[in-house]
Amino acid sequence: LAGTRLCSTHCRELKGRNFLRGWNDKDREALTSLIAAITEDAAAAVIGVAGHTERKQQVAMEMVLLPLNVPGEGRIRVLGAATPMERPYWLGVHPILGQSISSLRLVWPDERPYFVDSPASTLNPILPRFTAEGIAMPTPPRMRRKIWFMTR
């Protein structure tokens, strides 16, 4: 299943197509291992993708793949999203025929977010902090209005 924006980026319907189609052998092997990590270990993946056209044009995209547990189905599905990092004039006019991995990051389910171990002073002062006594709501900083005038 693929959304309208993704299909228009590739200039064709992607529904029912094999996700591994359009990747070179090395990337296809990496993606197969990656999908196994997502479905078996509940990892998430962030992938940098370079989309290539027949005219040797290239667009950088970012893709996220997440495990999706459907109750009663007995297996894990993969939910994904992809977006171009820029919008060149030809995107949607010249089809993306091939893709290659430019970067890859797996996020394991037992990793703790960086902000959990950070000292409180580095956290966003507007967000609430969770303490043993409950939620500590910070006093928001005073906002100063700046007005800029343009003259000719």
Side-chain angles (χ1 to χ4, degrees):
L1 179 63
T4 305
R5 179 73 52 109
L6 189 61
C7 291
S8 67
T9 299
H10 285 78
C11 298
R12 64 185 171 278
E13 178 61 52
L14 299 174
K15 180 180 176 182
R17 292 180 141 227
N18 185 342
F19 174 72
L20 298 175
R21 186 176 177 185
W23 302 87
N24 64 35
D25 292 336
K26 180 181 165 189
D27 289 343
R28 193 175 304 120
E29 184 178 322
L31 287 167
T32 302
S33 298
L34 183 75
I35 291 170
I38 294 168
T39 58
E40 294 170 15
D41 301 326
V46 179
I47 308 166
V49 177
H52 309 278
T53 69
E54 64 184 9
R55 295 179 173 211
K56 307 290 187 228
Q57 297 159 313
Q58 186 171 316
V59 63
M61 297 184 285
E62 190 168 60
M63 180 183 301
V64 63
L65 299 175
L66 305 168
L68 183 63
N69 185 12
V70 181
E73 201 168 286
R75 65 183 175 131
I76 303 289
R77 291 181 175 255
V78 178
L79 177 66
T83 187
M85 302 302 286
E86 57 187 288
R87 290 231 171 254
Y89 73 93
W90 54 265
L91 194 63
V93 176
H94 302 291
I96 294 174
L97 300 177
Q99 302 175 118
S100 59
I101 296 174
S102 58
S103 66
L104 176 62
R105 178 167 185 251
L106 276 174
V107 181
W108 298 99
D110 58 348
E111 283 187 28
R112 292 169 51 99
Y114 75 92
F115 57 82
V116 172
D117 297 323
S118 297
S121 62
T122 63
L123 296 177
N124 186 334
I126 296 175
L127 297 178
R129 288 191 331 266
F130 298 94
T131 64
E133 294 80 32
I135 299 175
M137 293 300 291
T139 305
R142 289 180 60 169
M143 300 295 285
R144 292 190 186 130
R145 178 176 271 203
K146 291 184 179 181
I147 300 175
W148 297 91
F149 294 97
M150 293 182 65
T151 60
R152 291 184 193 208

